[in-house]
Amino acid sequence: MSQDRTFDVLTATCPSRTSLARIANKWTAMVVIALSAGRMRFGDLRAKVDGISGKVLTDTLRDLERDGLVSRYAYAEVPPRVEYELTELGHTLQSPLRALGHWAEQHIEEVLTARESYDARR
Amino acid sequence: MSQDRTFDVLTATCPSRTSLARIANKWTAMVVIALSAGRMRFGDLRAKVDGISGKVLTDTLRDLERDGLVSRYAYAEVPPRVEYELTELGHTLQSPLRALGHWAEQHIEEVLTARESYDARR
DNA sequence: CCCATTGGTTACGTTGAGGTAACTGGTTAC
DNA sequence: GTAACCAGTTACCTCAACGTAACCAATGGG
């Protein structure tokens, strides 16, 4: 139950780094943030994560499903209906990733200002 | 001062998304986590972020500097010496990214288990 | 003298992420 | 008959990410 100091993302061979590589990713972040609103079907998710291509959304969802972060519910209907939702594990990832999204929104003006002065300097 | 609902990372054209793309990135996360320990020179940073190549570290640091998250101090010595540290803005990013790192370390076992059962299922 | 040492940067070549577009399936509406 | 519907899947192509290795310049050792 207590924290084993066994895993360290800064160590190249540590398996936790493969996990970090997956979650520290813009598409993963956006999909998880979108799914925070609750169970959703593929088309709605695609509309919510503005600009994501079908291929990338499919790939991202499959990876998240494989890692146990998202559940997939397919209905044998025509036209097909498929819904996705965060698992219990996925919910634990929601708050860190939403924090990242909030950071991006709250600090974008400072970032843009910094970029301008950096670019002007060269 | 209050929160304008002006920015939304889920909107493709929103500038905050470019910012999210930069911070929701494995190398960015690892470098910021490493720099949480304080001002550090290039070589030490490279050793701490195990497995990162010189080129990627340089590129990552330059992007972070451009966005105002990291300060760069170069000394005109031979051999050259350059130190980096988080800016005030960079410090505000430290806790969300460390949270991501912790998540990866704390939940890697569940993730590995999920992967196994997913792969076995196919 | 000459060469090795040192940290950061750059040039070059390779790999992989990601975009586009065409196609699948059975049912309903024209 | 044929067109539209939804969630993929595949093939193909492009461009960005990444790794490798050479390079720079002043100092110290032999």
Side-chain angles (χ1 to χ4, degrees):
Chain A
M1 183 55 79
S2 64
Q3 258 293 78
D4 287 355
R5 291 278 77 240
T6 314
F7 299 115
D8 175 14
V9 291
L10 293 184
T11 301
T13 54
C14 180
S16 67
R17 184 181 282 195
T18 69
S19 191
L20 179 67
R22 175 132 308 142
I23 64 181
N25 168 290
K26 63 172 176 177
W27 294 125
T28 298
M30 288 189 271
V31 167
V32 170
I33 289 170
L35 279 179
S36 298
R39 187 162 170 162
M40 205 176 305
R41 52 190 301 188
F42 186 89
D44 296 333
L45 200 47
R46 181 169 181 179
K48 193 152 192 173
V49 181
D50 186 32
I52 196 171
S53 72
K55 177 180 181 295
V56 169
L57 182 52
T58 300
D59 292 348
T60 302
L61 285 169
R62 185 141 309 135
D63 286 341
L64 290 175
E65 190 196 357
R66 189 170 102 101
D67 281 6
L69 300 169
V70 158
S71 297
R72 179 179 190 273
Y73 303 96
Y75 299 90
E77 302 172 353
V78 171
R81 178 165 61 97
V82 181
E83 296 178 353
Y84 295 90
E85 73 177 351
L86 293 176
T87 61
E88 200 178 333
L89 183 59
H91 272 102
T92 67
L93 189 54
Q94 183 195 324
S95 99
L97 286 183
R98 283 164 61 108
L100 263 199
H102 277 127
W103 191 97
E105 291 164 359
Q106 285 175 358
H107 296 283
I108 180 60
E109 285 172 330
E110 299 168 67
V111 168
L112 290 177
T113 302
R115 281 184 199 170
E116 273 177 42
S117 69
Y118 181 92
D119 292 344
R121 212 174 304 140
R122 328 264 125 186
Chain B
M1 183 58 74
S2 66
Q3 258 294 80
D4 288 354
R5 291 278 77 242
T6 314
F7 299 114
D8 175 16
V9 292
L10 293 185
T11 301
T13 55
C14 181
S16 68
R17 185 181 281 198
T18 70
S19 191
L20 179 67
R22 175 132 306 142
I23 64 180
N25 168 290
K26 63 173 176 175
W27 293 124
T28 297
M30 286 189 273
V31 167
V32 170
I33 289 170
L35 278 179
S36 298
R39 186 161 168 164
M40 206 175 303
R41 52 191 301 187
F42 186 90
D44 296 332
L45 201 46
R46 182 170 179 178
K48 193 152 191 172
V49 182
D50 185 32
I52 195 170
S53 72
K55 178 181 183 296
V56 170
L57 181 54
T58 299
D59 292 348
T60 302
L61 286 169
R62 216 195 301 291
D63 286 341
L64 290 175
E65 190 195 357
R66 189 169 102 100
D67 282 6
L69 300 168
V70 159
S71 298
R72 180 179 190 271
Y73 304 96
Y75 301 89
E77 302 172 357
V78 171
R81 178 165 63 99
V82 181
E83 297 179 351
Y84 296 90
E85 73 177 351
L86 292 177
T87 63
E88 199 176 336
L89 183 59
H91 273 101
T92 66
L93 188 55
Q94 182 194 325
S95 100
L97 286 183
R98 282 163 62 107
L100 262 199
H102 278 126
W103 191 96
E105 291 166 358
Q106 286 175 355
H107 296 283
I108 180 59
E109 285 172 330
E110 298 168 68
V111 168
L112 290 177
T113 303
R115 282 184 197 169
E116 273 178 43
S117 70
Y118 181 93
D119 292 344
R121 214 175 300 139
R122 326 265 125 187

